[in-house]
Amino acid sequence: MNDDARPTVQTTQTSIEILDVVRRRDSARLTEIADAVGLAKSTAYKHLVTLEQNGFLRRDGNAYRIGLGLLTYGEHVRHHWPGFEEATEAVTELTERTQEEVDFVVEDGGRVTTLVESYHPWVKYDDSVDTDSSASYRARVGDSYGMHSTAAGLAILAEYSEERVERILDRRGLPRRTEHTITDRATLFEALERIREDGYAVNDQGYTEGMRSLGKAVCGPDGTVAGALSVAGPTYRIDGAVLEEHLPRALEETARSLEAALAERSRPPR
């Protein structure tokens, strides 16, 4: 749901919806796309041709896939995001230190999007863990998530005012991903209060069954939230002293180092 009342162009909105259909399905045929968006096939075809000619879609036999043209825009956004280089260094450092999967996310429109991710080469997720797909637990660059279902998102929400959180919930709701996902406001606000007391968030299988993650917000020099770092892994490994001592300490120290680097970056040259 989009509560932004500013005027939009329907043709552009339709093309965006088509791109989203193709992305979510990995590939889609003309009829599937037309049905999903609610267009006549002739109209959908015109959109597809336009998107293909501009590199945003590519033909694969009778199906369409996302084109490499979008990669240029995505990489431009990442590399020009304030603090991208510092966040990349922090993610690399935390990955080596914890030997777990690490990402840095930013909030955008009431969701969190992965800006930087890193996976330690020695770490493999347990294939016996029940997931939606073989890669469903991985935080890929550009992936967007509900803030209530991830440790990083919860950590960011804990930094916001109650009014701001309420606005996000009004727009995005609390959709369920697993039986452990927070799905009511009272429980969420209780969780946010605990996060403020602890200084970091723990998400216990709220996004993927069998996966546990920790997240901590990172603030910029002006005190506003720049994003959040998170560490994730299977529940059998993220447990005991690792969960209660080692990862929180590593997360805290890396977040503080990143905040210092962001502050240094903002200082005018001498």
Side-chain angles (χ1 to χ4, degrees), residues 223-255:
T224 61
V225 178
L229 286 165
S230 72
V231 184
T235 53
Y236 71 83
R237 197 162 62 228
I238 310 298
D239 199 9
V242 172
L243 172 64
E244 298 172 4
E245 300 174 21
H246 303 327
L247 292 186
R249 183 167 57 249
L251 194 58
E252 167 73 22
E253 293 174 358
T254 306

Side-chain angles (χ1 to χ4, degrees), residues 63-262:
Y64 291 87
R65 294 182 181 272
I66 294 296
L68 287 173
L70 289 172
L71 185 61
T72 301
Y73 293 91
E75 285 300 292
H76 177 88
V77 171
R78 287 183 71 223
H79 288 274
H80 287 79
W81 195 270
F84 170 74
E85 292 182 1
E86 291 81 1
T88 300
E89 292 177 4
V91 166
T92 300
E93 173 191 332
L94 192 56
T95 303
E96 290 300 317
R97 183 170 178 178
T98 64
Q99 299 187 12
E100 294 293 351
E101 294 149 2
V102 177
D103 70 336
F104 179 80
V105 307
V106 296
E107 187 252 326
D108 182 34
R111 290 173 66 81
V112 286
T113 299
T114 299
L115 190 69
V116 185
E117 50 80 16
S118 179
Y119 301 103
H120 197 282
W122 299 339
V123 172
K124 299 295 182 183
Y125 202 63
D126 185 0
D127 290 336
S128 67
V129 173
D130 182 22
T131 58
D132 295 336
S133 70
S134 61
S136 64
Y137 73 97
R138 290 195 177 278
R140 295 187 177 91
V141 168
D143 281 353
S144 181
Y145 310 92
M147 299 183 73
H148 68 295
S149 62
T150 67
L154 288 168
I156 293 175
L157 286 175
E159 296 291 321
Y160 288 169
S161 67
E162 182 174 339
E163 292 74 20
R164 185 169 180 179
V165 174
E166 290 281 10
R167 288 196 299 271
I168 289 173
L169 299 183
D170 288 342
R171 180 179 183 184
R172 297 296 186 180
L174 293 166
R176 182 187 301 274
R177 274 197 59 91
T178 75
E179 62 177 292
H180 306 281
T181 307
I182 297 173
T183 56
D184 69 89
R185 297 194 182 205
T187 302
L188 175 65
F189 282 107
E190 289 174 4
L192 297 183
E193 188 57 38
R194 287 196 300 272
I195 293 166
R196 295 183 187 108
E197 294 173 358
D198 295 339
Y200 63 94
V202 176
N203 183 37
D204 191 0
Q205 307 181 77
Y207 186 79
T208 299
E209 295 284 352
M211 186 183 77
R212 189 173 284 139
S213 60
L214 287 76
K216 184 168 182 62
V218 174
C219 292
D222 61 355
T224 61
V225 178
L229 286 165
S230 72
V231 184
T235 53
Y236 71 83
R237 197 162 62 228
I238 310 298
D239 199 9
V242 172
L243 172 64
E244 298 172 4
E245 300 174 21
H246 303 327
L247 292 186
R249 183 167 57 249
L251 194 58
E252 167 73 22
E253 293 174 358
T254 306
R256 296 291 80 83
S257 295
L258 176 54
E259 288 181 339
L262 294 176

